[in-house]
Amino acid sequence: QVQLVESGGGVVQPGGSLRLSCELSSNWRVIGWFRLAPGKEREGVSYIGRDATEIQYSSSVKGRFTISKDNAKNTVYLQMNDLKPEDTALYSCAVGPTQSLDVSAFVYWGQGTQVTVSS
C-alpha cells in the first residue's frame, strides 16, 4: 500500500497559477492527477511515468498544465497556469500500473486538494 498526500490548492483568480504537490510514501510506475467538479464525473488530468519520459495530458488542460516529478523527494507536481473557472475542482493524485487517464486504472488515491478559480 502507498500513501499519497496532496497540497497546494487554494483560491485563485482567472488567469492565475497554482502548483499542486503529491507526496508519495513510495514510488510507483504511473502517477496521475485527477479532478472532480460538482455535478461532474472524475476526470483524468495528467499522468507521468516512473522515469518521467511518459507524460500525457487531457485535452482540456494541455498547454496550460505541466506535470513533473522529483524522484529524490517522491513527489509529483502539477503546475497549473492560465487557470479558468472551469478548472475549479477537487484535485487528487493516484498511482497505478498502467499508463492511462482512466480512473479505473489507478489503485491508490490521495484525499485531494481543492482548487477554486473565481474572480
Side-chain angles (χ1 to χ4, degrees):
Q1 191 170 357
V2 60
Q3 281 75 49
L4 304 94
V5 179
E6 302 94 336
S7 62
V11 180
V12 64
Q13 292 186 342
S17 299
L18 284 173
R19 188 177 80 156
L20 305 183
S21 298
C22 172
E23 185 173 356
L24 300 89
S25 60
S26 61
N27 202 0
W28 264 63
R29 185 167 186 270
V30 182
I31 303 98
W33 280 101
F34 297 82
R35 64 187 182 184
L36 181 62
K40 296 186 177 181
E41 294 186 354
R42 193 185 301 271
E43 174 191 12
V45 174
S46 179
Y47 71 73
I48 187 168
R50 187 191 301 271
D51 60 2
T53 58
E54 307 100 343
I55 290 176
Q56 185 172 341
Y57 300 96
S58 68
S59 58
S60 60
V61 307
K62 194 171 185 178
R64 300 187 297 122
F65 291 11
T66 302
I67 193 170
S68 62
K69 64 184 310 196
D70 184 334
N71 284 331
K73 296 181 178 179
N74 270 347
T75 300
V76 173
Y77 304 98
L78 186 69
Q79 177 67 42
M80 306 186 297
N81 298 329
D82 189 24
L83 283 161
K84 304 175 181 181
E86 51 264 41
D87 294 318
T88 295
L90 181 69
Y91 284 72
S92 302
C93 59
V95 296
T98 306
Q99 294 177 30
S100 172
L101 287 176
D102 191 336
V103 171
S104 63
F106 288 79
V107 180
Y108 297 108
W109 293 76
Q111 294 297 312
T113 183
Q114 179 67 36
V115 171
T116 301
V117 184
S118 174
S119 56

